[in-house]
Amino acid sequence: MRILMINPNTSAGVTERLEKAARTVMAPDTVLDTITAPTGVPYISTRTEALIGGVSVLEILSERHADYDAAIVAAFGDPGLGAARELFDLPVIGLAEAGMLTACMLGGRFAIVTFADALEPWYRECVAWHRLEARCAGVHTLAGTFRSVNDVQEEKAEHLAALCDEVVAGGQVDVIVLAGAPLAGLAASLRDRVPVPLVDCAEAAIGQAETLARLRPAKASRGSFRRPAAKPSVGLSPALSARIAHEPAR
């Protein structure tokens, strides 16, 4: 099977981390291709930036969806996920959704732990969009700044481990989701130090993508995720415009 992992952030170093983490757990016969958004911001942390990243996701899928069995929106917060699911025929998996749903299979309630407090409002809204508020024990963040998004997990590893311990000690947390594409791969080095299961979202996403690709679900023809009716557009990329208009890609 062929899977496309789209990083809506513009940081190529983050894409490399996502790919490396996914490759540690994916099946030997899976072909994984990755792509970094050509426009936008180094890492998405606000609603505005998520909208920009979502457009990149739709443009990339418009150009490349026909070559793949499933795709991953590889940013926690899942920018553009709902739109991608209604517009394209292949399964599209969100990094946050995959991490949180995997956590739900490991315990009753999960907590989200991440590296920057600016991410908290958007992540809370992501939990609500996925209707998982009852299973989520909160979004817990580190205070302060960091030097580079590409290296934040090395810089903040000890602080993140301590925050995980603090969250678990607070009670009623069965699983922790390490959130944020820049933290891809970090769970492997912290699992033995955290007293509850620790979910790596990149690992969870590739596993969910492989499962859905094998199941080959039909595209919805009714319901809220059916493909929207054809409509003209102005100023969009040629491939995205053609997809919205139900025309062959130009």
Side-chain angles (χ1 to χ4, degrees):
M1 70 183 69
R2 296 178 59 85
I3 295 174
L4 179 63
M5 176 179 277
I6 303 169
N7 177 13
N9 306 282
T10 61
S11 298
V14 172
T15 306
E16 292 172 6
R17 289 188 181 277
L18 288 159
E19 180 178 0
K20 183 177 179 180
R23 289 189 181 281
T24 62
V25 298
M26 75 183 196
D29 60 343
T30 296
V31 175
L32 175 65
D33 292 330
T34 61
I35 186 167
T36 306
T39 59
V41 297
Y43 79 100
I44 296 168
S45 61
T46 69
R47 303 173 187 91
T48 300
E49 294 160 2
L51 284 173
I52 294 168
V55 173
S56 290
V57 168
L58 298 180
E59 290 178 340
I60 291 166
L61 279 173
S62 294
E63 295 171 355
R64 305 186 61 172
H65 69 98
D67 297 327
Y68 295 93
D69 301 298
I72 298 168
V73 178
F76 201 94
D78 301 340
L81 177 61
R85 281 188 177 155
E86 72 178 13
L87 195 57
F88 300 99
D89 300 338
L90 77 173
V92 184
I93 291 84
L95 197 73
E97 183 181 40
M100 292 188 292
L101 291 181
T102 300
C104 288
M105 298 175 193
L106 294 169
R109 300 186 78 208
F110 64 86
I112 295 171
V113 169
T114 192
F115 61 91
D117 53 13
L119 296 163
E120 182 179 1
W122 179 41
Y123 283 8
R124 286 188 181 278
E125 290 181 8
C126 176
V127 173
W129 191 82
H130 288 299
R131 300 177 176 86
L132 290 170
E133 301 104 309
R135 302 291 294 274
C136 182
V139 179
H140 304 267
T141 69
L142 296 178
T145 61
F146 55 90
R147 291 189 294 272
S148 167
V149 70
N150 289 317
D151 303 315
V152 68
Q153 67 171 263
E154 286 84 6
E155 180 185 350
K156 300 294 186 179
E158 293 301 318
H159 298 288
L160 287 164
L163 180 56
C164 288
D165 284 339
E166 179 183 328
V167 170
V168 174
Q172 298 188 354
V173 173
D174 302 309
V175 188
I176 287 180
V177 177
L178 277 183
L183 300 187
L186 180 60
S189 63
L190 296 186
R191 281 190 175 116
D192 293 339
R193 301 174 55 182
V194 178
V196 298
L198 194 60
V199 175
D200 184 297
C201 293
E203 294 177 357
I206 192 68
Q208 298 284 5
E210 289 175 323
T211 297
L212 289 178
R214 289 190 187 97
L215 293 175
R216 299 181 179 276
K219 169 65 176 173
S221 58
R222 299 186 68 177
S224 67
F225 283 95
R226 67 188 183 279
R227 188 174 177 185
K231 186 178 294 185
S233 59
V234 177
L236 300 178
S237 70
L240 182 54
S241 178
R243 185 68 185 174
I244 292 172
H246 291 218
E247 297 173 352
R250 299 193 289 272

